[in-house]
Amino acid sequence: MNNDTTTIAKIVFSILLFPTFFQEEFLAFAWAASDPMWAMSLKRVFLLLPVLTFILGAWVTIPTVLSIIFRHNRKEYTLSLFATWWDLGKSIAYFWAGLANFFFYLVVYLLGMIKMLVLGVMAVLQTILLMPFRLLGTAGKKVTGSSIPLIAVFLTIFWVLIEATIFTYVTTPLVLDTLSNITGETIDVTLMRVALFTFLFFIVLGSYAVLSTFVDSIKEKNISQIIGIAAIEVIVLMVEVLFLYREFVDALIPWFAMYAEDFQIGILGILAISTFVWFGIRSLSWFLFASYGTPTIMAIIQGKGIESVKSKEASGASKKISAQIFDTDEYMNGIKENIDWVQEKGDELIAAFMLPPLQLVASAINFCTLLVAGKHMFELPLTDMESLTNTGRMNTREEEKVELASGKTANAN
């Protein structure tokens, strides 16, 4: 009789402790300590958590089954137990599918990040390399589209510099000779050239200013002003011809003598050639650019200001500049959209990483809540992160009051 009792007790304990028959083998297989590294990594990622959840569910099922004897809603409770195991199977399937989904999102996210980094580096390099050309293009648009004759002003000043440089080197020996005879001292050539260049620069620029005033007087038909400025222009001509252009022609006489036999020229011939050179240079430079650049320079010097009248070209240039600013805004909007894309994909990647293991954790919690409260906490499977907040309706005080009230009503009936 004792042997029969012992045998029955062993059978009962074997049934009650049935997870001990397989949990060690399951854990050893999922842990895979003796397997190669790749096999061990795959088993621990894909099998360890499902095995732990399965073993936990098996252990919790034992007291759950025993508690059926004491529960009043045995049929619904038993169906809930089967539903819990069914949810565990679905959770394992969703866990494996979620891992595959996570790796897919990870690859897409990494490719997107690499693409953004490459495009960003290319954009930065393109901006750095093309910046000089863009600056030149913007400067060119402003120059060509401006109502102010900037090109004429630049050419006028450039031409004045050229004339001042040429006449500086031509007249330096004469000025050095004259000043040395007057002072009786040797004057430094470099210092003299700097001072002479500055003096000649304003002399040449002043000659263009006188010519511009003379033309304006003719346009206004102011006779007295025309006569006065004409006299000044004659004096300017004589000064430049005698002291500048004559020296320039004198420097060319040896060159004439090299190609002509018995070449002789007097002072009148030199002055005549110098006058013709002055008229030629002044006419060409005046009609080409100085007639537009000189009034602007005079207005700046006199402090009258420059009237900014927007022509069609200027308005077109401003529109293009606005378009460039708009393009910059579009570029910044593109960066913001990329940041939003990174944040969105990052949230999806986090959700894809967290949902698969949470499927099994929620299934394990459902086993425990079924044992304690007789209901599930989570509705499985979890489809997104928001579904974590959609927990099952646990018994609250109000529900208990409703159930007690309904129970009393049923007893009264």
Side-chain angles (χ1 to χ4, degrees):
M1 186 68 180
N2 290 332
N3 292 331
D4 294 338
T5 304
T6 304
T7 303
I8 294 173
K10 288 182 179 179
I11 293 173
V12 172
F13 278 108
S14 298
I15 294 174
L16 293 177
L17 303 177
F18 73 94
T20 57
F21 293 104
F22 56 83
Q23 66 177 6
E24 186 176 353
E25 288 77 7
F26 278 18
L27 288 174
F29 180 78
W31 189 250
S34 60
D35 290 352
M37 180 61 68
W38 64 270
M40 179 181 67
S41 302
L42 291 176
K43 287 183 178 181
R44 290 183 180 181
V45 170
F46 288 96
L47 297 179
L48 184 59
L49 189 57
V51 167
L52 291 174
T53 307
F54 178 81
I55 294 173
L56 176 63
W59 280 107
V60 176
T61 300
I62 297 171
T64 301
V65 172
L66 294 177
S67 68
I68 294 176
I69 302 171
F70 308 101
R71 297 184 183 271
H72 63 279
N73 52 349
R74 298 182 183 85
K75 181 178 179 181
E76 295 179 359
Y77 190 77
T78 304
L79 293 176
S80 299
L81 178 61
F82 285 112
T84 306
W85 278 101
W86 173 248
D87 289 339
L88 176 59
K90 290 192 298 182
S91 299
I92 294 174
Y94 272 92
F95 171 75
W96 290 332
L99 289 178
N101 190 33
F102 166 71
F103 287 116
F104 173 76
Y105 273 109
L106 181 62
V107 172
V108 172
Y109 186 79
L110 291 177
L111 291 177
M113 289 295 296
I114 292 172
K115 178 183 176 181
M116 288 178 57
L117 291 175
V118 172
L119 292 178
V121 172
M122 290 178 62
V124 171
L125 293 177
Q126 184 179 7
T127 303
I128 294 174
L129 294 176
L130 297 181
M131 185 178 295
F133 301 99
R134 290 179 179 175
L135 293 177
L136 291 176
T138 304
K141 290 175 183 178
K142 290 183 178 180
V143 171
T144 57
S146 176
S147 59
I148 302 173
L150 297 176
I151 296 178
V153 173
F154 173 77
L155 291 177
T156 302
I157 296 176
F158 182 70
W159 183 255
V160 171
L161 290 173
I162 290 178
E163 281 198 31
T165 302
I166 293 174
F167 290 137
T168 297
Y169 280 94
V170 170
T171 58
T172 295
L174 175 63
V175 175
L176 280 175
D177 225 8
T178 302
L179 293 179
S180 296
N181 292 332
I182 294 174
T183 60
E185 298 179 358
T186 302
I187 301 174
D188 184 62
V189 178
T190 303
L191 182 62
M192 175 55 61
R193 283 178 175 172
V194 172
L196 185 60
F197 173 81
T198 305
F199 174 76
L200 291 175
F201 175 82
F202 289 106
I203 290 295
V204 177
L205 186 60
S207 69
Y208 279 107
V210 173
L211 186 58
S212 175
T213 307
F214 183 66
V215 172
D216 292 338
S217 300
I218 295 175
K219 290 180 180 179
E220 296 174 359
K221 296 180 181 180
N222 190 342
I223 304 301
S224 60
Q225 191 175 6
I226 290 174
I227 295 173
I229 296 178
I232 296 174
E233 186 67 26
V234 171
I235 295 173
V236 171
L237 184 150
M238 292 176 61
V239 171
E240 290 189 350
V241 167
L242 289 175
F243 294 101
L244 301 179
Y245 285 89
R246 181 184 60 81
E247 291 292 332
F248 179 73
V249 174
D250 283 341
L252 295 178
I253 289 177
W255 181 80
F256 288 117
M258 290 177 57
Y259 298 96
E261 296 180 358
D262 299 330
F263 177 79
Q264 294 181 355
I265 186 170
I267 185 63
L268 294 179
I270 292 175
L271 293 176
I273 294 174
S274 301
T275 304
F276 281 115
V277 172
W278 185 89
F279 272 110
I281 292 176
R282 284 293 175 272
S283 300
L284 290 175
S285 59
W286 178 257
F287 289 106
L288 183 60
F289 51 83
S291 60
Y292 301 99
T294 305
T296 305
I297 297 174
M298 290 181 63
I300 295 174
I301 294 174
Q302 295 172 4
K304 294 181 179 179
I306 302 172
E307 294 182 358
S308 178
V309 180
K310 290 187 178 181
S311 59
K312 293 182 179 180
E313 293 81 4
S315 61
S318 63
K319 289 180 181 178
K320 291 180 180 178
I321 294 172
S322 298
Q324 289 180 353
I325 297 174
F326 180 75
D327 291 339
T328 304
D329 292 339
E330 289 294 328
Y331 179 72
M332 295 304 297
N333 291 332
I335 293 177
K336 293 179 181 178
E337 290 178 359
N338 289 332
I339 294 175
D340 294 337
W341 179 88
V342 171
Q343 184 176 1
E344 179 183 356
K345 293 301 179 183
D347 294 339
E348 293 179 356
L349 186 65
I350 293 174
F353 174 75
M354 294 179 64
L355 280 178
L358 288 178
Q359 301 277 0
L360 297 176
V361 174
S363 179
I365 292 174
N366 279 347
F367 274 102
C368 297
T369 56
L370 179 65
L371 173 63
V372 176
K375 292 186 178 181
H376 294 157
M377 178 175 287
F378 297 99
E379 296 180 1
L380 299 177
L382 303 176
T383 56
D384 51 26
M385 296 299 293
E386 294 181 357
S387 59
L388 289 173
T389 60
N390 298 329
T391 57
R393 299 179 60 190
M394 304 296 292
N395 284 335
T396 61
R397 293 181 179 178
E398 295 181 357
E399 290 177 342
E400 290 178 355
K401 292 179 181 179
V402 172
E403 290 180 356
L404 291 174
S406 60
K408 289 180 180 179
T409 303
N411 293 331
N413 294 329

mmCIF file of all heavy atoms in Angstrom, residues 303-344:
data_model
loop_
_atom_site.group_PDB
_atom_site.id
_atom_site.type_symbol
_atom_site.label_atom_id
_atom_site.label_comp_id
_atom_site.label_asym_id
_atom_site.label_seq_id
_atom_site.Cartn_x
_atom_site.Cartn_y
_atom_site.Cartn_z
ATOM 1 N N GLY A 303 29.943 114.944 -53.048
ATOM 2 C CA GLY A 303 29.005 114.565 -51.999
ATOM 3 C C GLY A 303 27.563 114.785 -52.372
ATOM 4 O O GLY A 303 26.709 114.910 -51.486
ATOM 5 N N LYS A 304 27.256 114.799 -53.655
ATOM 6 C CA LYS A 304 25.874 114.990 -54.094
ATOM 7 C C LYS A 304 25.064 113.708 -54.030
ATOM 8 O O LYS A 304 23.841 113.749 -54.085
ATOM 9 C CB LYS A 304 25.852 115.525 -55.532
ATOM 10 C CG LYS A 304 26.445 116.915 -55.661
ATOM 11 C CD LYS A 304 26.373 117.386 -57.102
ATOM 12 C CE LYS A 304 26.936 118.798 -57.247
ATOM 13 N NZ LYS A 304 26.884 119.256 -58.653
ATOM 14 N N GLY A 305 25.732 112.576 -53.948
ATOM 15 C CA GLY A 305 25.024 111.304 -53.958
ATOM 16 C C GLY A 305 24.717 110.863 -55.372
ATOM 17 O O GLY A 305 24.847 111.635 -56.347
ATOM 18 N N ILE A 306 24.314 109.607 -55.475
ATOM 19 C CA ILE A 306 24.031 109.008 -56.783
ATOM 20 C C ILE A 306 22.580 108.605 -56.814
ATOM 21 O O ILE A 306 22.098 107.899 -55.919
ATOM 22 C CB ILE A 306 24.934 107.788 -57.044
ATOM 23 C CG1 ILE A 306 26.400 108.210 -56.972
ATOM 24 C CG2 ILE A 306 24.636 107.172 -58.404
ATOM 25 C CD1 ILE A 306 27.355 107.052 -57.023
ATOM 26 N N GLU A 307 21.866 109.059 -57.796
ATOM 27 C CA GLU A 307 20.469 108.689 -57.949
ATOM 28 C C GLU A 307 20.377 107.234 -58.367
ATOM 29 O O GLU A 307 20.997 106.820 -59.350
ATOM 30 C CB GLU A 307 19.779 109.577 -58.986
ATOM 31 C CG GLU A 307 19.685 111.032 -58.550
ATOM 32 C CD GLU A 307 18.944 111.859 -59.584
ATOM 33 O OE1 GLU A 307 18.558 111.277 -60.620
ATOM 34 O OE2 GLU A 307 18.773 113.071 -59.358
ATOM 35 N N SER A 308 19.619 106.453 -57.611
ATOM 36 C CA SER A 308 19.448 105.036 -57.908
ATOM 37 C C SER A 308 18.109 104.845 -58.607
ATOM 38 O O SER A 308 17.057 104.822 -57.977
ATOM 39 C CB SER A 308 19.488 104.198 -56.626
ATOM 40 O OG SER A 308 19.286 102.837 -56.922
ATOM 41 N N VAL A 309 18.145 104.808 -59.944
ATOM 42 C CA VAL A 309 16.962 104.603 -60.748
ATOM 43 C C VAL A 309 16.972 103.159 -61.239
ATOM 44 O O VAL A 309 17.885 102.740 -61.955
ATOM 45 C CB VAL A 309 16.924 105.561 -61.956
ATOM 46 C CG1 VAL A 309 15.671 105.324 -62.777
ATOM 47 C CG2 VAL A 309 17.005 107.000 -61.475
ATOM 48 N N LYS A 310 15.979 102.401 -60.898
ATOM 49 C CA LYS A 310 15.932 100.991 -61.250
ATOM 50 C C LYS A 310 15.485 100.833 -62.691
ATOM 51 O O LYS A 310 14.353 101.156 -63.042
ATOM 52 C CB LYS A 310 14.972 100.230 -60.332
ATOM 53 C CG LYS A 310 15.474 100.104 -58.910
ATOM 54 C CD LYS A 310 14.567 99.216 -58.107
ATOM 55 C CE LYS A 310 15.094 99.057 -56.698
ATOM 56 N NZ LYS A 310 14.231 98.173 -55.893
ATOM 57 N N SER A 311 16.364 100.330 -63.487
ATOM 58 C CA SER A 311 16.014 100.036 -64.870
ATOM 59 C C SER A 311 15.472 98.623 -64.962
ATOM 60 O O SER A 311 15.357 97.917 -63.964
ATOM 61 C CB SER A 311 17.255 100.174 -65.752
ATOM 62 O OG SER A 311 18.260 99.285 -65.309
ATOM 63 N N LYS A 312 15.124 98.207 -66.143
ATOM 64 C CA LYS A 312 14.601 96.851 -66.341
ATOM 65 C C LYS A 312 15.669 95.824 -65.990
ATOM 66 O O LYS A 312 15.388 94.803 -65.385
ATOM 67 C CB LYS A 312 14.160 96.669 -67.785
ATOM 68 C CG LYS A 312 12.961 97.525 -68.151
ATOM 69 C CD LYS A 312 12.546 97.266 -69.589
ATOM 70 C CE LYS A 312 11.324 98.114 -69.952
ATOM 71 N NZ LYS A 312 10.910 97.873 -71.357
ATOM 72 N N GLU A 313 16.913 96.148 -66.371
ATOM 73 C CA GLU A 313 17.982 95.216 -66.046
ATOM 74 C C GLU A 313 18.181 95.120 -64.546
ATOM 75 O O GLU A 313 18.441 94.037 -64.005
ATOM 76 C CB GLU A 313 19.294 95.640 -66.718
ATOM 77 C CG GLU A 313 19.268 95.538 -68.242
ATOM 78 C CD GLU A 313 18.584 96.758 -68.870
ATOM 79 O OE1 GLU A 313 18.218 97.690 -68.116
ATOM 80 O OE2 GLU A 313 18.410 96.763 -70.092
ATOM 81 N N ALA A 314 18.069 96.264 -63.842
ATOM 82 C CA ALA A 314 18.251 96.248 -62.389
ATOM 83 C C ALA A 314 17.157 95.448 -61.704
ATOM 84 O O ALA A 314 17.421 94.676 -60.782
ATOM 85 C CB ALA A 314 18.274 97.679 -61.845
ATOM 86 N N SER A 315 15.911 95.640 -62.179
ATOM 87 C CA SER A 315 14.820 94.878 -61.578
ATOM 88 C C SER A 315 14.980 93.398 -61.855
ATOM 89 O O SER A 315 14.709 92.558 -61.000
ATOM 90 C CB SER A 315 13.480 95.377 -62.114
ATOM 91 O OG SER A 315 13.428 95.204 -63.522
ATOM 92 N N GLY A 316 15.440 93.064 -63.070
ATOM 93 C CA GLY A 316 15.689 91.653 -63.380
ATOM 94 C C GLY A 316 16.771 91.069 -62.503
ATOM 95 O O GLY A 316 16.667 89.940 -62.028
ATOM 96 N N ALA A 317 17.827 91.861 -62.262
ATOM 97 C CA ALA A 317 18.906 91.375 -61.395
ATOM 98 C C ALA A 317 18.414 91.182 -59.970
ATOM 99 O O ALA A 317 18.778 90.214 -59.300
ATOM 100 C CB ALA A 317 20.076 92.364 -61.412
ATOM 101 N N SER A 318 17.571 92.130 -59.473
ATOM 102 C CA SER A 318 17.046 91.982 -58.114
ATOM 103 C C SER A 318 16.176 90.749 -57.999
ATOM 104 O O SER A 318 16.186 90.058 -56.984
ATOM 105 C CB SER A 318 16.252 93.228 -57.728
ATOM 106 O OG SER A 318 15.134 93.371 -58.582
ATOM 107 N N LYS A 319 15.397 90.459 -59.070
ATOM 108 C CA LYS A 319 14.579 89.256 -59.040
ATOM 109 C C LYS A 319 15.450 88.010 -58.981
ATOM 110 O O LYS A 319 15.138 87.043 -58.290
ATOM 111 C CB LYS A 319 13.684 89.204 -60.265
ATOM 112 C CG LYS A 319 12.565 90.246 -60.237
ATOM 113 C CD LYS A 319 11.706 90.163 -61.475
ATOM 114 C CE LYS A 319 10.596 91.217 -61.452
ATOM 115 N NZ LYS A 319 9.779 91.154 -62.692
ATOM 116 N N LYS A 320 16.550 88.037 -59.722
ATOM 117 C CA LYS A 320 17.446 86.878 -59.708
ATOM 118 C C LYS A 320 18.094 86.709 -58.345
ATOM 119 O O LYS A 320 18.264 85.591 -57.863
ATOM 120 C CB LYS A 320 18.516 87.034 -60.789
ATOM 121 C CG LYS A 320 17.954 86.931 -62.201
ATOM 122 C CD LYS A 320 19.044 87.100 -63.237
ATOM 123 C CE LYS A 320 18.469 87.000 -64.660
ATOM 124 N NZ LYS A 320 19.511 87.199 -65.670
ATOM 125 N N ILE A 321 18.463 87.854 -57.728
ATOM 126 C CA ILE A 321 19.047 87.771 -56.386
ATOM 127 C C ILE A 321 18.027 87.230 -55.398
ATOM 128 O O ILE A 321 18.333 86.407 -54.540
ATOM 129 C CB ILE A 321 19.560 89.155 -55.950
ATOM 130 C CG1 ILE A 321 20.740 89.579 -56.841
ATOM 131 C CG2 ILE A 321 19.993 89.141 -54.498
ATOM 132 C CD1 ILE A 321 21.194 91.001 -56.610
ATOM 133 N N SER A 322 16.755 87.689 -55.539
ATOM 134 C CA SER A 322 15.696 87.155 -54.677
ATOM 135 C C SER A 322 15.517 85.666 -54.912
ATOM 136 O O SER A 322 15.278 84.910 -53.983
ATOM 137 C CB SER A 322 14.391 87.897 -54.963
ATOM 138 O OG SER A 322 14.541 89.274 -54.666
ATOM 139 N N ALA A 323 15.632 85.269 -56.186
ATOM 140 C CA ALA A 323 15.524 83.840 -56.490
ATOM 141 C C ALA A 323 16.641 83.055 -55.819
ATOM 142 O O ALA A 323 16.436 81.950 -55.327
ATOM 143 C CB ALA A 323 15.558 83.624 -58.001
ATOM 144 N N GLN A 324 17.853 83.669 -55.754
ATOM 145 C CA GLN A 324 18.950 82.988 -55.081
ATOM 146 C C GLN A 324 18.665 82.846 -53.585
ATOM 147 O O GLN A 324 18.935 81.809 -52.995
ATOM 148 C CB GLN A 324 20.243 83.780 -55.288
ATOM 149 C CG GLN A 324 20.768 83.714 -56.717
ATOM 150 C CD GLN A 324 22.039 84.512 -56.889
ATOM 151 O OE1 GLN A 324 22.463 85.217 -55.979
ATOM 152 N NE2 GLN A 324 22.637 84.420 -58.044
ATOM 153 N N ILE A 325 18.085 83.906 -52.988
ATOM 154 C CA ILE A 325 17.734 83.814 -51.572
ATOM 155 C C ILE A 325 16.672 82.748 -51.367
ATOM 156 O O ILE A 325 16.691 81.976 -50.423
ATOM 157 C CB ILE A 325 17.258 85.190 -51.069
ATOM 158 C CG1 ILE A 325 18.400 86.212 -51.169
ATOM 159 C CG2 ILE A 325 16.748 85.103 -49.640
ATOM 160 C CD1 ILE A 325 17.984 87.616 -50.828
ATOM 161 N N PHE A 326 15.706 82.681 -52.320
ATOM 162 C CA PHE A 326 14.668 81.661 -52.240
ATOM 163 C C PHE A 326 15.266 80.270 -52.334
ATOM 164 O O PHE A 326 14.856 79.352 -51.627
ATOM 165 C CB PHE A 326 13.653 81.898 -53.359
ATOM 166 C CG PHE A 326 12.542 80.883 -53.357
ATOM 167 C CD1 PHE A 326 11.524 80.939 -52.417
ATOM 168 C CD2 PHE A 326 12.539 79.853 -54.294
ATOM 169 C CE1 PHE A 326 10.503 80.007 -52.423
ATOM 170 C CE2 PHE A 326 11.521 78.925 -54.288
ATOM 171 C CZ PHE A 326 10.513 79.000 -53.358
ATOM 172 N N ASP A 327 16.275 80.145 -53.209
ATOM 173 C CA ASP A 327 16.928 78.843 -53.314
ATOM 174 C C ASP A 327 17.613 78.481 -52.005
ATOM 175 O O ASP A 327 17.624 77.315 -51.608
ATOM 176 C CB ASP A 327 17.944 78.868 -54.462
ATOM 177 C CG ASP A 327 17.260 78.958 -55.824
ATOM 178 O OD1 ASP A 327 16.054 78.610 -55.909
ATOM 179 O OD2 ASP A 327 17.928 79.393 -56.763
ATOM 180 N N THR A 328 18.203 79.478 -51.334
ATOM 181 C CA THR A 328 18.825 79.218 -50.037
ATOM 182 C C THR A 328 17.791 78.754 -49.019
ATOM 183 O O THR A 328 18.023 77.821 -48.249
ATOM 184 C CB THR A 328 19.526 80.492 -49.538
ATOM 185 O OG1 THR A 328 20.459 80.928 -50.524
ATOM 186 C CG2 THR A 328 20.261 80.217 -48.229
ATOM 187 N N ASP A 329 16.622 79.400 -49.031
ATOM 188 C CA ASP A 329 15.552 78.974 -48.130
ATOM 189 C C ASP A 329 15.110 77.550 -48.451
ATOM 190 O O ASP A 329 14.841 76.757 -47.547
ATOM 191 C CB ASP A 329 14.363 79.933 -48.247
ATOM 192 C CG ASP A 329 14.707 81.316 -47.706
ATOM 193 O OD1 ASP A 329 15.660 81.402 -46.909
ATOM 194 O OD2 ASP A 329 14.033 82.291 -48.088
ATOM 195 N N GLU A 330 15.024 77.236 -49.759
ATOM 196 C CA GLU A 330 14.651 75.881 -50.139
ATOM 197 C C GLU A 330 15.692 74.871 -49.651
ATOM 198 O O GLU A 330 15.350 73.769 -49.219
ATOM 199 C CB GLU A 330 14.513 75.790 -51.669
ATOM 200 C CG GLU A 330 13.299 76.505 -52.225
ATOM 201 C CD GLU A 330 12.010 75.841 -51.771
ATOM 202 O OE1 GLU A 330 12.008 74.613 -51.582
ATOM 203 O OE2 GLU A 330 11.011 76.559 -51.567
ATOM 204 N N TYR A 331 16.950 75.269 -49.703
ATOM 205 C CA TYR A 331 18.009 74.374 -49.230
ATOM 206 C C TYR A 331 17.870 74.131 -47.724
ATOM 207 O O TYR A 331 18.001 72.992 -47.251
ATOM 208 C CB TYR A 331 19.365 74.994 -49.545
ATOM 209 C CG TYR A 331 20.538 74.169 -49.092
ATOM 210 C CD1 TYR A 331 20.885 72.992 -49.745
ATOM 211 C CD2 TYR A 331 21.294 74.566 -47.998
ATOM 212 C CE1 TYR A 331 21.953 72.229 -49.319
ATOM 213 C CE2 TYR A 331 22.359 73.823 -47.566
ATOM 214 C CZ TYR A 331 22.691 72.652 -48.234
ATOM 215 O OH TYR A 331 23.753 71.905 -47.797
ATOM 216 N N MET A 332 17.576 75.190 -46.968
ATOM 217 C CA MET A 332 17.383 75.037 -45.527
ATOM 218 C C MET A 332 16.138 74.204 -45.233
ATOM 219 O O MET A 332 16.137 73.386 -44.307
ATOM 220 C CB MET A 332 17.258 76.410 -44.873
ATOM 221 C CG MET A 332 18.522 77.250 -44.952
ATOM 222 S SD MET A 332 19.965 76.424 -44.248
ATOM 223 C CE MET A 332 19.453 76.263 -42.538
ATOM 224 N N ASN A 333 15.083 74.402 -46.035
ATOM 225 C CA ASN A 333 13.883 73.575 -45.859
ATOM 226 C C ASN A 333 14.188 72.113 -46.132
ATOM 227 O O ASN A 333 13.659 71.211 -45.475
ATOM 228 C CB ASN A 333 12.765 74.061 -46.771
ATOM 229 C CG ASN A 333 12.226 75.416 -46.343
ATOM 230 O OD1 ASN A 333 12.275 75.764 -45.170
ATOM 231 N ND2 ASN A 333 11.722 76.187 -47.292
ATOM 232 N N GLY A 334 15.049 71.864 -47.137
ATOM 233 C CA GLY A 334 15.449 70.488 -47.419
ATOM 234 C C GLY A 334 16.195 69.868 -46.247
ATOM 235 O O GLY A 334 15.985 68.699 -45.911
ATOM 236 N N ILE A 335 17.054 70.660 -45.596
ATOM 237 C CA ILE A 335 17.772 70.158 -44.420
ATOM 238 C C ILE A 335 16.790 69.839 -43.299
ATOM 239 O O ILE A 335 16.899 68.803 -42.620
ATOM 240 C CB ILE A 335 18.814 71.192 -43.958
ATOM 241 C CG1 ILE A 335 19.915 71.330 -45.022
ATOM 242 C CG2 ILE A 335 19.414 70.787 -42.619
ATOM 243 C CD1 ILE A 335 20.943 72.372 -44.681
ATOM 244 N N LYS A 336 15.792 70.719 -43.092
ATOM 245 C CA LYS A 336 14.799 70.467 -42.054
ATOM 246 C C LYS A 336 14.001 69.211 -42.355
ATOM 247 O O LYS A 336 13.693 68.420 -41.459
ATOM 248 C CB LYS A 336 13.868 71.670 -41.928
ATOM 249 C CG LYS A 336 14.558 72.924 -41.398
ATOM 250 C CD LYS A 336 13.590 74.082 -41.333
ATOM 251 C CE LYS A 336 14.282 75.345 -40.817
ATOM 252 N NZ LYS A 336 13.355 76.503 -40.803
ATOM 253 N N GLU A 337 13.642 69.027 -43.639
ATOM 254 C CA GLU A 337 12.911 67.820 -44.006
ATOM 255 C C GLU A 337 13.756 66.577 -43.765
ATOM 256 O O GLU A 337 13.241 65.539 -43.328
ATOM 257 C CB GLU A 337 12.493 67.905 -45.472
ATOM 258 C CG GLU A 337 11.401 68.949 -45.730
ATOM 259 C CD GLU A 337 11.055 69.036 -47.201
ATOM 260 O OE1 GLU A 337 11.688 68.304 -48.000
ATOM 261 O OE2 GLU A 337 10.163 69.827 -47.558
ATOM 262 N N ASN A 338 15.054 66.673 -44.056
ATOM 263 C CA ASN A 338 15.926 65.527 -43.789
ATOM 264 C C ASN A 338 16.006 65.227 -42.296
ATOM 265 O O ASN A 338 16.027 64.061 -41.884
ATOM 266 C CB ASN A 338 17.331 65.813 -44.343
ATOM 267 C CG ASN A 338 17.358 65.790 -45.854
ATOM 268 O OD1 ASN A 338 16.552 65.102 -46.494
ATOM 269 N ND2 ASN A 338 18.251 66.545 -46.457
ATOM 270 N N ILE A 339 16.041 66.293 -41.473
ATOM 271 C CA ILE A 339 16.068 66.082 -40.026
ATOM 272 C C ILE A 339 14.771 65.424 -39.562
ATOM 273 O O ILE A 339 14.774 64.507 -38.725
ATOM 274 C CB ILE A 339 16.299 67.422 -39.307
ATOM 275 C CG1 ILE A 339 17.708 67.947 -39.630
ATOM 276 C CG2 ILE A 339 16.121 67.268 -37.807
ATOM 277 C CD1 ILE A 339 17.987 69.319 -39.069
ATOM 278 N N ASP A 340 13.655 65.900 -40.134
ATOM 279 C CA ASP A 340 12.364 65.275 -39.793
ATOM 280 C C ASP A 340 12.341 63.813 -40.226
ATOM 281 O O ASP A 340 11.798 62.952 -39.516
ATOM 282 C CB ASP A 340 11.218 66.037 -40.468
ATOM 283 C CG ASP A 340 11.082 67.441 -39.914
ATOM 284 O OD1 ASP A 340 11.539 67.670 -38.783
ATOM 285 O OD2 ASP A 340 10.532 68.319 -40.629
ATOM 286 N N TRP A 341 12.932 63.539 -41.393
ATOM 287 C CA TRP A 341 12.980 62.142 -41.870
ATOM 288 C C TRP A 341 13.812 61.294 -40.920
ATOM 289 O O TRP A 341 13.432 60.154 -40.596
ATOM 290 C CB TRP A 341 13.568 62.098 -43.272
ATOM 291 C CG TRP A 341 13.674 60.719 -43.832
ATOM 292 C CD1 TRP A 341 12.733 60.034 -44.526
ATOM 293 C CD2 TRP A 341 14.814 59.835 -43.737
ATOM 294 N NE1 TRP A 341 13.189 58.793 -44.871
ATOM 295 C CE2 TRP A 341 14.465 58.627 -44.395
ATOM 296 C CE3 TRP A 341 16.068 59.939 -43.166
ATOM 297 C CZ2 TRP A 341 15.333 57.560 -44.498
ATOM 298 C CZ3 TRP A 341 16.941 58.870 -43.253
ATOM 299 C CH2 TRP A 341 16.562 57.697 -43.926
ATOM 300 N N VAL A 342 14.938 61.823 -40.471
ATOM 301 C CA VAL A 342 15.798 61.079 -39.537
ATOM 302 C C VAL A 342 15.043 60.795 -38.239
ATOM 303 O O VAL A 342 15.086 59.682 -37.703
ATOM 304 C CB VAL A 342 17.089 61.877 -39.259
ATOM 305 C CG1 VAL A 342 17.884 61.234 -38.125
ATOM 306 C CG2 VAL A 342 17.952 61.937 -40.514
ATOM 307 N N GLN A 343 14.310 61.812 -37.733
ATOM 308 C CA GLN A 343 13.561 61.610 -36.498
ATOM 309 C C GLN A 343 12.458 60.580 -36.679
ATOM 310 O O GLN A 343 12.249 59.703 -35.829
ATOM 311 C CB GLN A 343 12.973 62.939 -36.035
ATOM 312 C CG GLN A 343 12.253 62.857 -34.693
ATOM 313 C CD GLN A 343 11.776 64.214 -34.233
ATOM 314 O OE1 GLN A 343 11.964 65.207 -34.923
ATOM 315 N NE2 GLN A 343 11.165 64.251 -33.070
ATOM 316 N N GLU A 344 11.740 60.676 -37.805
ATOM 317 C CA GLU A 344 10.652 59.726 -38.067
ATOM 318 C C GLU A 344 11.176 58.307 -38.200
ATOM 319 O O GLU A 344 10.647 57.367 -37.588
ATOM 320 C CB GLU A 344 9.920 60.145 -39.340
ATOM 321 C CG GLU A 344 8.773 59.217 -39.722
ATOM 322 C CD GLU A 344 8.119 59.629 -41.027
ATOM 323 O OE1 GLU A 344 8.520 60.675 -41.588
ATOM 324 O OE2 GLU A 344 7.221 58.893 -41.475
#
